[in-house]
Amino acid sequence: QVQLQESGPGLMKPSQTLSLTCTVSGGAITTNAYYWGWIRQPLGKELEWIGYITYSGATNYRPALKSRTSISRDTSKNQFTLQMSSVTPEDTAVYYCARGGPNWGHSYDYWGQGTQVTVSS
């Protein structure tokens, strides 16, 4: 029922700022008490949690990425956005947006299909 769709550029150059938008349908991102997260998976590696924004707008980030990561939302469009500055080739991965809950840890029930982001000069 809930559907998520990532959008944004697939190719980035080092030092640029990545911006990905997740459009949600079938449920409002303001609905108590869901979390809206970003997760990525580099080729051949495990899923890596990036961060989330809650139904009320609170955010949390992976400590290693916090200094250059920002998640925001546009409730009128039912969208939330990931921004990651100063990207490097190590940021190359498939990026997913997904829905979580307050007591789910890093488990998510609905996922977008994922979008490949490649950082290359």
Side-chain angles (χ1 to χ4, degrees), residues 4 6-7 11-12 15 25 28 31 35 41 46-47 51 59-61 70-71 75 79 87 108-109 113:
L4 300 88
E6 303 91 346
S7 62
L11 298 175
M12 300 290 298
S15 82
S25 62
T31 298
Y35 291 47
Q41 185 171 36
E46 296 181 342
L47 292 167
T59 56
N60 197 12
Y61 306 102
S70 178
I71 299 174
T75 58
Q79 296 176 329
V87 296
Y108 300 89
D109 57 355
Q113 65 183 12

Side-chain angles (χ1 to χ4, degrees), residues 25-48:
S25 62
I29 61 174
T30 54
T31 298
N32 183 51
Y34 294 113
Y35 291 47
W36 302 92
W38 287 98
I39 308 96
R40 68 183 184 182
Q41 185 171 36
L43 182 64
K45 298 184 178 180
E46 296 181 342
L47 292 167
E48 180 183 66

Side-chain angles (χ1 to χ4, degrees), residues 12-92:
M12 300 290 298
K13 296 184 181 298
S15 82
Q16 291 185 326
T17 296
L18 171 66
S19 182
L20 297 175
T21 296
C22 184
T23 300
V24 180
S25 62
I29 61 174
T30 54
T31 298
N32 183 51
Y34 294 113
Y35 291 47
W36 302 92
W38 287 98
I39 308 96
R40 68 183 184 182
Q41 185 171 36
L43 182 64
K45 298 184 178 180
E46 296 181 342
L47 292 167
E48 180 183 66
W49 173 72
I50 298 171
Y52 64 74
I53 187 165
T54 73
Y55 71 101
S56 63
T59 56
N60 197 12
Y61 306 102
R62 184 181 186 87
L65 302 175
K66 184 178 180 179
S67 66
R68 60 189 184 95
T69 303
S70 178
I71 299 174
S72 58
R73 64 178 183 167
D74 185 336
T75 58
S76 68
K77 297 180 179 179
N78 213 39
Q79 296 176 329
F80 62 105
T81 297
L82 169 70
Q83 292 193 93
M84 184 176 293
S85 65
S86 303
V87 296
T88 74
E90 293 182 350
D91 295 312
T92 294

